[in-house]
Amino acid sequence: MAASSPATTSPPLAGPAIHRGLQSGSLFRRSLPASTAQTVSASAASTAPKPRGLLLRCRAAEGSVPVQVEAPLKVMISGAPASGKGTQCRMIVEKYGLVHISTGDLLRAEVSSGSDIGKKAKEYMDNGMLVPDQVVTNMVVSRLSQPDVRKKGWLLDGYPRSYAQAQSLESMKIRPDIFIVLEVPDGNLIDRCVGRRLDPVTGKIYHVKNFPPENDEISDRLITRSDDTFEKVKSRLETYKQNSEAVLLTYSDLLNQIDGDRQVEVVFQEIDSLLQKICANTSEDKLAKTNGKPPDSVRTTASKNEYRGIPTRLNNIPHSREIRKYFYDDVLQATKHAIEDKKTRLQIDINIPELNPEMDVYRIGTLMELVRDLSLTFANDGKRVKVCVQGSMGQGAFAGIPLQLAGTRKILEIMDWGDYGAKGAFINIGAVGASEVDKEDDMFVLIAPQNAVGNCIIDDMKAMTDAAGDRPVILVNPRLKDMPASSGVMQTMGRDMRLKYAASFETCYSFRLLFYAGTFYPIMGALRMAYPNKYEIYRRVDEPNGKEKYDLLAEFTENPTADDITNAFKGPKKGFLSGIL
């Protein structure tokens, strides 16, 4: 679908040189979520939703008899600690007869039964490690395949909790009819938790203000749960937010946000109304997020259904957390797909305005966030990741080149890798070279390796990849070209061999913006490739409401040339974009 071409008098298109990096923001604050080592975050829209096209026909029953569903309902529900999610789950199950599935219950049941999955999960728990996403997903999928679930439908409680978990379900075509999120202000959530008390005799939960015990005898024996302290509640809340942000984008077309700061019955009435609408309509469309946007506002390409469209307002620098997270997720998907296809020598090339050294907006923190998200996600799958930095980029402001990357090793050592021991257990920091390859390493992430005069990184990289064997090596924004010395004299010794080795890495992700020649604004379009898809050229289009969108113009199996890009925008006319790729 092509938009109208620019005026013929417009100057030729151009794009900045491919480069390396992304923004700082929250390097030293973010924690590793309890259910995942991934520290990603992507925000869904915050306005209240309403239903779009609907699926499933139900026959509502009277009283407490569960609703009978001709096509069983599939519901996901999410909410912060003390949001009332447990109560709403109970009420949903009572009315609709769905099978309630929570990963905590599944873990305990599988371990208790001694199943193969339970034994594997127990090994991790006994060693004080996170149960990898794949193990948890296997348990969920196994439960979803049981006859009672197929007959009655399911209610997934608090799962998926991470982007990786959501994508695992997506890859198996497991999707809900609706994704419900209970929203409660942070202050109220904290008050609910801190004021909560447990009766150790009956297991009943009370609250010092909202639901006091019936008598002094019960009051005297009430205890505060160890995780209901102010500090731990705030930590759990932050963890939930990080997790939910990553998940919500996957289900943005099914999202319904409910105000949970109301009476239990009022909250359930709204949930019940949404579920009844699903049951009452025979349309094949699923319940969609309805925050005022039309159904087709979540765009996809023909080559990849889960692609959500390019973020808008990329010229606003620094980028918002949502835009940064979009790119982290996009990179992660492509990289995981490539590794699943047994690709072992990969490179990531991402150039957006915030990461363009030619514009003096290179943000080392964004690069670190990207690397951390990538590494923690693989670590969360049980992989041991070695994050490697070229030795010359180690400590000080003048230790190596390029200067924008100097001190990277120091930053990696002190940045926040989460509260659950990922760094040192599943993630280790190293340099580039064969001596850094340990037998327990499963994969290697090399940050922006640079080929430079007098410090040729290619030799160390080749020795490292030889030692790595068939284990994946991922280069993040490499610049493996001959760099001139200060005198301008190019080091030519072994040049052909170096460039041949550099070309042996397959690009699994590439993104850069396109501009008119000699300018950085306005943004005219974008070039994107996310493995296993083709290279895609997009035109940026201004919309009447002051927003913008990116329309797909053309696809190429190989990285398009300057002429290819120009032709896609303006038709066959040579020479406009020469030398920019």
Side-chain angles (χ1 to χ4, degrees), residues 315-350:
N315 56 326
N316 293 340
I317 301 173
H319 287 152
S320 68
R321 183 182 181 90
E322 290 79 13
I323 288 179
R324 299 199 317 271
K325 189 64 195 109
Y326 165 85
F327 283 107
Y328 302 161
D329 293 344
D330 210 26
V331 169
L332 177 59
Q333 281 191 55
T335 307
K336 292 192 75 170
H337 288 155
I339 290 178
E340 287 168 1
D341 284 350
K342 310 302 182 185
K343 306 289 185 180
T344 59
R345 301 294 176 261
L346 300 170
Q347 65 177 351
I348 296 163
D349 292 307
I350 178 168

Short mmCIF file of all heavy atoms in Angstrom, two decimals, residues 315-350:
data_model
loop_
_atom_site.label_atom_id
_atom_site.label_comp_id
_atom_site.label_asym_id
_atom_site.label_seq_id
_atom_site.Cartn_x
_atom_site.Cartn_y
_atom_site.Cartn_z
N ASN A 315 11.19 11.64 15.53
CA ASN A 315 12.07 12.81 15.53
C ASN A 315 12.09 13.52 16.87
O ASN A 315 12.84 14.48 17.06
CB ASN A 315 11.65 13.78 14.42
CG ASN A 315 10.20 14.20 14.55
OD1 ASN A 315 9.37 13.41 14.98
ND2 ASN A 315 9.90 15.43 14.17
N ASN A 316 11.27 13.08 17.82
CA ASN A 316 11.31 13.66 19.17
C ASN A 316 12.42 12.99 19.96
O ASN A 316 12.35 11.80 20.25
CB ASN A 316 9.98 13.46 19.88
CG ASN A 316 8.86 14.26 19.24
OD1 ASN A 316 9.11 15.21 18.51
ND2 ASN A 316 7.62 13.86 19.48
N ILE A 317 13.44 13.72 20.31
CA ILE A 317 14.59 13.17 21.02
C ILE A 317 14.75 13.89 22.35
O ILE A 317 14.66 15.12 22.40
CB ILE A 317 15.89 13.34 20.19
CG1 ILE A 317 15.72 12.63 18.83
CG2 ILE A 317 17.09 12.77 20.93
CD1 ILE A 317 16.88 12.88 17.88
N PRO A 318 14.99 13.21 23.49
CA PRO A 318 15.16 11.76 23.57
C PRO A 318 13.85 11.02 23.38
O PRO A 318 12.77 11.57 23.62
CB PRO A 318 15.70 11.54 24.99
CG PRO A 318 15.17 12.70 25.77
CD PRO A 318 15.16 13.85 24.81
N HIS A 319 13.95 9.77 22.96
CA HIS A 319 12.76 8.98 22.73
C HIS A 319 12.09 8.59 24.05
O HIS A 319 12.74 8.44 25.07
CB HIS A 319 13.13 7.70 21.97
CG HIS A 319 13.46 7.96 20.54
ND1 HIS A 319 14.31 7.17 19.82
CD2 HIS A 319 13.07 8.94 19.69
CE1 HIS A 319 14.43 7.64 18.59
NE2 HIS A 319 13.68 8.71 18.48
N SER A 320 10.80 8.38 23.97
CA SER A 320 10.06 7.92 25.13
C SER A 320 10.42 6.47 25.43
O SER A 320 10.98 5.76 24.60
CB SER A 320 8.55 8.00 24.86
OG SER A 320 8.19 7.06 23.87
N ARG A 321 10.09 6.05 26.62
CA ARG A 321 10.32 4.66 27.03
C ARG A 321 9.59 3.70 26.08
O ARG A 321 10.09 2.63 25.74
CB ARG A 321 9.82 4.47 28.46
CG ARG A 321 10.06 3.09 29.05
CD ARG A 321 9.47 3.03 30.46
NE ARG A 321 9.70 1.75 31.09
CZ ARG A 321 10.74 1.44 31.81
NH1 ARG A 321 11.69 2.34 32.00
NH2 ARG A 321 10.87 0.25 32.36
N GLU A 322 8.38 4.10 25.64
CA GLU A 322 7.61 3.23 24.75
C GLU A 322 8.32 3.02 23.42
O GLU A 322 8.36 1.90 22.90
CB GLU A 322 6.22 3.84 24.50
CG GLU A 322 5.30 3.82 25.70
CD GLU A 322 5.61 4.93 26.69
OE1 GLU A 322 6.37 5.86 26.34
OE2 GLU A 322 5.10 4.85 27.83
N ILE A 323 8.88 4.08 22.86
CA ILE A 323 9.58 3.95 21.58
C ILE A 323 10.83 3.11 21.75
O ILE A 323 11.11 2.22 20.94
CB ILE A 323 9.92 5.34 21.01
CG1 ILE A 323 8.65 6.02 20.51
CG2 ILE A 323 10.93 5.23 19.87
CD1 ILE A 323 8.85 7.40 19.95
N ARG A 324 11.59 3.37 22.80
CA ARG A 324 12.79 2.57 23.02
C ARG A 324 12.42 1.10 23.16
O ARG A 324 13.04 0.22 22.58
CB ARG A 324 13.54 3.05 24.27
CG ARG A 324 14.01 4.49 24.20
CD ARG A 324 15.12 4.80 25.20
NE ARG A 324 14.92 4.25 26.50
CZ ARG A 324 14.27 4.84 27.50
NH1 ARG A 324 13.70 6.02 27.30
NH2 ARG A 324 14.19 4.27 28.68
N LYS A 325 11.39 0.83 23.96
CA LYS A 325 11.00 -0.54 24.21
C LYS A 325 10.49 -1.23 22.96
O LYS A 325 10.69 -2.42 22.76
CB LYS A 325 9.93 -0.59 25.31
CG LYS A 325 9.65 -1.98 25.76
CD LYS A 325 10.90 -2.58 26.39
CE LYS A 325 10.76 -4.07 26.49
NZ LYS A 325 11.62 -4.77 25.57
N TYR A 326 9.82 -0.46 22.11
CA TYR A 326 9.37 -1.03 20.84
C TYR A 326 10.56 -1.63 20.09
O TYR A 326 10.50 -2.76 19.60
CB TYR A 326 8.69 0.03 19.96
CG TYR A 326 8.57 -0.45 18.54
CD1 TYR A 326 7.49 -1.24 18.15
CD2 TYR A 326 9.57 -0.19 17.62
CE1 TYR A 326 7.43 -1.74 16.87
CE2 TYR A 326 9.51 -0.68 16.33
CZ TYR A 326 8.43 -1.46 15.96
OH TYR A 326 8.37 -1.96 14.69
N PHE A 327 11.64 -0.86 19.99
CA PHE A 327 12.79 -1.34 19.23
C PHE A 327 13.48 -2.50 19.95
O PHE A 327 13.95 -3.44 19.30
CB PHE A 327 13.77 -0.19 18.96
CG PHE A 327 13.30 0.72 17.86
CD1 PHE A 327 12.81 1.98 18.14
CD2 PHE A 327 13.32 0.29 16.55
CE1 PHE A 327 12.36 2.82 17.13
CE2 PHE A 327 12.87 1.11 15.52
CZ PHE A 327 12.39 2.39 15.81
N TYR A 328 13.57 -2.44 21.28
CA TYR A 328 14.17 -3.58 22.00
C TYR A 328 13.41 -4.86 21.67
O TYR A 328 14.00 -5.91 21.39
CB TYR A 328 14.13 -3.35 23.51
CG TYR A 328 14.81 -2.10 24.02
CD1 TYR A 328 14.51 -1.60 25.27
CD2 TYR A 328 15.75 -1.42 23.25
CE1 TYR A 328 15.12 -0.44 25.76
CE2 TYR A 328 16.36 -0.28 23.72
CZ TYR A 328 16.04 0.21 24.98
OH TYR A 328 16.64 1.34 25.44
N ASP A 329 12.07 -4.78 21.70
CA ASP A 329 11.26 -5.96 21.45
C ASP A 329 11.40 -6.44 20.01
O ASP A 329 11.44 -7.63 19.73
CB ASP A 329 9.79 -5.67 21.75
CG ASP A 329 9.53 -5.43 23.22
OD1 ASP A 329 10.40 -5.78 24.04
OD2 ASP A 329 8.46 -4.88 23.56
N ASP A 330 11.45 -5.47 19.08
CA ASP A 330 11.58 -5.82 17.67
C ASP A 330 12.90 -6.55 17.42
O ASP A 330 12.95 -7.56 16.72
CB ASP A 330 11.51 -4.53 16.84
CG ASP A 330 10.92 -4.77 15.46
OD1 ASP A 330 10.14 -5.73 15.29
OD2 ASP A 330 11.21 -3.97 14.55
N VAL A 331 13.97 -6.02 18.00
CA VAL A 331 15.29 -6.66 17.89
C VAL A 331 15.25 -8.06 18.50
O VAL A 331 15.77 -9.03 17.93
CB VAL A 331 16.36 -5.80 18.57
CG1 VAL A 331 17.67 -6.58 18.70
CG2 VAL A 331 16.61 -4.52 17.78
N LEU A 332 14.65 -8.17 19.67
CA LEU A 332 14.62 -9.44 20.39
C LEU A 332 13.89 -10.51 19.59
O LEU A 332 14.37 -11.65 19.46
CB LEU A 332 13.95 -9.25 21.74
CG LEU A 332 13.76 -10.51 22.59
CD1 LEU A 332 15.10 -11.16 22.88
CD2 LEU A 332 13.04 -10.18 23.88
N GLN A 333 12.73 -10.17 19.02
CA GLN A 333 11.99 -11.15 18.23
C GLN A 333 12.81 -11.67 17.08
O GLN A 333 12.89 -12.89 16.85
CB GLN A 333 10.71 -10.51 17.69
CG GLN A 333 9.58 -10.40 18.67
CD GLN A 333 8.29 -10.02 17.96
OE1 GLN A 333 7.86 -10.68 17.02
NE2 GLN A 333 7.68 -8.94 18.40
N ALA A 334 13.41 -10.76 16.33
CA ALA A 334 14.19 -11.16 15.16
C ALA A 334 15.37 -12.04 15.56
O ALA A 334 15.67 -13.05 14.90
CB ALA A 334 14.67 -9.91 14.41
N THR A 335 16.05 -11.66 16.64
CA THR A 335 17.22 -12.42 17.08
C THR A 335 16.83 -13.82 17.53
O THR A 335 17.50 -14.82 17.19
CB THR A 335 17.94 -11.68 18.22
OG1 THR A 335 18.23 -10.34 17.81
CG2 THR A 335 19.25 -12.36 18.57
N LYS A 336 15.75 -13.92 18.28
CA LYS A 336 15.30 -15.24 18.74
C LYS A 336 14.90 -16.12 17.57
O LYS A 336 15.21 -17.32 17.55
CB LYS A 336 14.13 -15.09 19.72
CG LYS A 336 14.50 -14.45 21.04
CD LYS A 336 13.42 -14.60 22.08
CE LYS A 336 13.38 -16.02 22.63
NZ LYS A 336 12.48 -16.12 23.81
N HIS A 337 14.22 -15.54 16.58
CA HIS A 337 13.84 -16.33 15.41
C HIS A 337 15.07 -16.86 14.68
O HIS A 337 15.08 -18.01 14.23
CB HIS A 337 13.01 -15.48 14.46
CG HIS A 337 11.62 -15.20 14.96
ND1 HIS A 337 10.89 -14.11 14.58
CD2 HIS A 337 10.84 -15.88 15.83
CE1 HIS A 337 9.72 -14.13 15.18
NE2 HIS A 337 9.67 -15.19 15.96
N ALA A 338 16.09 -16.02 14.56
CA ALA A 338 17.30 -16.45 13.86
C ALA A 338 18.00 -17.58 14.62
O ALA A 338 18.45 -18.55 14.02
CB ALA A 338 18.24 -15.26 13.67
N ILE A 339 18.09 -17.44 15.93
CA ILE A 339 18.75 -18.49 16.72
C ILE A 339 17.94 -19.78 16.71
O ILE A 339 18.50 -20.88 16.65
CB ILE A 339 18.99 -17.98 18.16
CG1 ILE A 339 20.07 -16.89 18.14
CG2 ILE A 339 19.38 -19.12 19.10
CD1 ILE A 339 20.36 -16.28 19.49
N GLU A 340 16.61 -19.65 16.73
CA GLU A 340 15.78 -20.85 16.63
C GLU A 340 16.00 -21.57 15.31
O GLU A 340 15.84 -22.79 15.22
CB GLU A 340 14.30 -20.45 16.77
CG GLU A 340 13.91 -20.08 18.20
CD GLU A 340 12.55 -19.40 18.27
OE1 GLU A 340 11.91 -19.25 17.20
OE2 GLU A 340 12.14 -19.03 19.39
N ASP A 341 16.39 -20.82 14.27
CA ASP A 341 16.68 -21.42 12.97
C ASP A 341 18.15 -21.83 12.84
O ASP A 341 18.66 -22.01 11.73
CB ASP A 341 16.32 -20.44 11.85
CG ASP A 341 14.82 -20.36 11.61
OD1 ASP A 341 14.09 -21.21 12.18
OD2 ASP A 341 14.37 -19.48 10.88
N LYS A 342 18.83 -21.93 13.99
CA LYS A 342 20.21 -22.43 14.04
C LYS A 342 21.21 -21.49 13.41
O LYS A 342 22.29 -21.92 12.99
CB LYS A 342 20.32 -23.82 13.39
CG LYS A 342 19.29 -24.83 13.88
CD LYS A 342 19.36 -25.05 15.38
CE LYS A 342 18.36 -26.09 15.85
NZ LYS A 342 18.33 -26.25 17.33
N LYS A 343 20.91 -20.20 13.35
CA LYS A 343 21.89 -19.22 12.90
C LYS A 343 22.84 -18.93 14.07
O LYS A 343 22.39 -18.72 15.19
CB LYS A 343 21.21 -17.93 12.46
CG LYS A 343 20.12 -18.12 11.41
CD LYS A 343 20.69 -18.50 10.07
CE LYS A 343 19.59 -18.56 9.01
NZ LYS A 343 20.12 -18.93 7.68
N THR A 344 24.13 -18.91 13.79
CA THR A 344 25.09 -18.75 14.89
C THR A 344 25.97 -17.51 14.78
O THR A 344 26.64 -17.16 15.74
CB THR A 344 26.00 -19.99 14.98
OG1 THR A 344 26.70 -20.15 13.74
CG2 THR A 344 25.18 -21.24 15.27
N ARG A 345 26.01 -16.87 13.62
CA ARG A 345 26.83 -15.67 13.46
C ARG A 345 25.91 -14.54 13.00
O ARG A 345 25.56 -14.43 11.84
CB ARG A 345 27.96 -15.90 12.44
CG ARG A 345 28.90 -17.03 12.82
CD ARG A 345 29.70 -16.69 14.07
NE ARG A 345 30.54 -17.79 14.52
CZ ARG A 345 30.23 -18.63 15.47
NH1 ARG A 345 29.08 -18.52 16.12
NH2 ARG A 345 31.06 -19.60 15.82
N LEU A 346 25.50 -13.69 13.96
CA LEU A 346 24.46 -12.71 13.71
C LEU A 346 24.93 -11.30 14.03
O LEU A 346 25.79 -11.11 14.90
CB LEU A 346 23.23 -13.03 14.56
CG LEU A 346 22.56 -14.38 14.31
CD1 LEU A 346 21.51 -14.66 15.38
CD2 LEU A 346 21.93 -14.42 12.93
N GLN A 347 24.34 -10.33 13.36
CA GLN A 347 24.61 -8.94 13.71
C GLN A 347 23.32 -8.13 13.67
O GLN A 347 22.40 -8.43 12.90
CB GLN A 347 25.66 -8.32 12.81
CG GLN A 347 25.29 -8.17 11.37
CD GLN A 347 26.40 -7.47 10.59
OE1 GLN A 347 27.36 -6.96 11.15
NE2 GLN A 347 26.26 -7.43 9.28
N ILE A 348 23.27 -7.13 14.54
CA ILE A 348 22.12 -6.23 14.67
C ILE A 348 22.59 -4.84 14.28
O ILE A 348 23.58 -4.34 14.82
CB ILE A 348 21.61 -6.23 16.12
CG1 ILE A 348 21.07 -7.61 16.50
CG2 ILE A 348 20.56 -5.15 16.32
CD1 ILE A 348 20.94 -7.80 18.00
N ASP A 349 21.88 -4.22 13.34
CA ASP A 349 22.20 -2.85 12.92
C ASP A 349 20.97 -1.99 13.13
O ASP A 349 19.97 -2.15 12.44
CB ASP A 349 22.60 -2.81 11.45
CG ASP A 349 23.93 -3.51 11.20
OD1 ASP A 349 24.90 -3.15 11.89
OD2 ASP A 349 23.99 -4.39 10.34
N ILE A 350 21.04 -1.08 14.09
CA ILE A 350 19.88 -0.24 14.38
C ILE A 350 20.30 1.21 14.45
O ILE A 350 21.19 1.58 15.22
CB ILE A 350 19.16 -0.69 15.68
CG1 ILE A 350 17.98 0.22 15.98
CG2 ILE A 350 20.12 -0.79 16.84
CD1 ILE A 350 17.06 -0.31 17.06
#
